[in-house]
Amino acid sequence: MKESTLSVALVFPEVLSTYGDRGNATALAHRARGRGLDCRVIKVGLHDPVPRTADVYLLGGGEDAAMLLAREHLRGQRSLAEAVAAGAACFAVCAGFQLLGHEFVGPDAITRSGLGILDVRSRRLPGPRAVGEVLAESTGLDVGFLTGFENHQGDALLGPAARPLARLLVGTGNGHDHDEGVVQGTVVGTYMHGPALVRNDRLADHLLATVVGALEPFDDEPVRRLRLERRNAALRPLRRRWPLRRAGLASRERRQP
Ligand code: GLN
C-alpha cells in the first residue's frame, strides 16, 4: 500500500456488476474499516481511464453485450496489467474473469482476445447455461469453503501459470476437472457471484492482506450465519437426490459406538 488509505478501484460498475457484484467493494471496505484502516472506493466509469495506483481492482460479471462493451474500453489500457505486475490485488468475477484471460468466445462463436493478465482461455460450455448455487473447497488459497451462485455460458481452461481457486462440491465453475476459479499471483478469478466477497470473508481478507499484510481477526457473525445457511441450501438438492445413500450413511452412523 502506497499511502495510509487503501484504495479499491471498482472497474466499470455500469456494465460489470451483474447480480450486485459491486457489493465486493462494500465488503472490502467494511472489513478494512473494521480493522481501523481507511478505505476509499473509486468507481471507474466506462469513459474514465483505469487508474494505475489503486491497491485493489474489482471487476464484476456482465451480460454478453455488456462484457464486449467493457472489453472495448479496457483494450489498449495498460494500467490494470501494470498495477498487477507492481503487486496490486485484483478480484474478477465471471465476465470480469473471462476478460482477464488470453481469450474468450462470445455467443456469436467468435474468439476475442482478453487482457492476457491470467493464463486462462474461455470457450463456451457445451451443455446448458450454468445457473445455480456453487459450493467449493478452496485449494488454491487457504480460505475455507466458498459459497456463491453462478450464471454463465463460459468455461475456463487454465494454463500452467494459473492454479484453480477451489474444488467444486456443487456447481459447474470452470467446467473442467471440478475446478472453480483461478489464482495467479495477486489475481483471483471466479464464476461466483453472491457478492462473493460478502459470502466469503476469508477470501476478502486474503485480498486485503495481499496489499496491507497480516490483519487483525474480524469476526462477522451475520456472515458466519449466512455462509452456513448458503452451504446448506447448496447441499439440499444433493440430499434430496440421494436419499438412499443418506439413509445408508445414517444407519452406519447409528452403528458407530
Ligand atoms: N456473459 C458471460 C457468460 O455468459 C458472463 C456472464 C456473467 O458475468 N454472469 O459466460
Side-chain angles (χ1 to χ4, degrees):
M1 206 162 91
K2 292 149 232 85
E3 311 166 11
S4 56
T5 301
L6 177 86
S7 55
V8 174
L10 186 57
V11 179
F12 304 163
E14 315 97 305
V15 286
L16 291 182
S17 186
T18 320
Y19 312 120
D21 286 337
R22 74 183 67 208
N24 289 327
T26 312
L28 286 183
H30 172 66
R31 298 192 67 78
R33 290 175 191 141
R35 270 66 171 243
L37 296 166
D38 267 348
C39 180
R40 189 163 54 106
V41 176
I42 307 156
K43 292 195 181 98
V44 184
L46 197 55
H47 299 283
D48 299 334
V50 177
R52 165 71 181 74
T53 53
D55 297 301
V56 185
Y57 292 79
L58 298 175
L59 290 86
E63 296 78 9
D64 293 328
M67 183 178 168
L68 292 185
L69 192 56
R71 174 179 177 267
E72 284 311 308
H73 288 259
L74 279 171
R75 250 152 48 109
Q77 296 207 45
R78 296 293 308 150
S79 38
L80 180 55
E82 285 170 8
V84 165
C90 179
F91 181 66
V93 179
C94 205
F97 172 23
Q98 293 178 38
L99 285 168
L100 293 193
H102 296 299
E103 60 187 32
F104 62 92
V105 178
D108 50 10
I110 294 175
T111 303
R112 293 179 174 86
S113 59
L115 294 184
I117 293 173
L118 288 173
D119 189 11
V120 172
R121 293 186 151 73
S122 299
R123 315 238 172 276
R124 307 293 280 180
L125 289 168
R129 197 169 177 80
V131 180
E133 286 290 318
V134 176
L135 183 66
E137 192 60 42
S138 62
T139 49
L141 297 171
D142 182 16
V143 293
F145 75 85
L146 297 170
T147 152
F149 68 89
E150 61 187 342
N151 187 340
H152 59 103
Q153 192 67 58
D155 71 352
L157 285 157
L158 274 47
R163 63 181 190 276
L165 167 64
R167 187 160 178 80
L168 282 166
L169 303 166
V170 175
T172 302
N174 297 354
H176 304 279
D177 303 321
H178 302 286
D179 288 340
E180 205 309 300
V182 64
V183 182
Q184 186 175 330
T186 56
V187 184
V188 178
T190 181
Y191 272 113
M192 288 188 297
H193 304 279
L197 297 185
V198 172
R199 287 202 196 186
N200 300 291
D201 46 354
R202 287 175 61 189
L203 181 57
D205 282 358
H206 163 83
L207 292 164
L208 291 177
T210 299
V211 287
V212 304
L215 294 163
E216 300 284 311
F218 178 68
D219 184 35
D220 211 335
E221 169 60 18
V223 170
R224 196 144 33 98
R225 272 188 278 124
L226 170 74
R227 284 172 57 71
L228 293 178
E229 193 262 324
R230 289 292 86 201
R231 182 168 68 173
N232 285 336
L235 290 173
R236 207 169 293 134
L238 290 189
R239 291 182 175 139
R240 263 202 302 268
R241 221 172 296 149
W242 292 310
L244 291 175
R245 189 162 153 241
R246 258 184 83 214
L249 280 176
S251 59
R252 256 207 309 282
E253 276 159 20
R254 273 201 300 277
R255 279 203 300 276
Q256 284 179 358

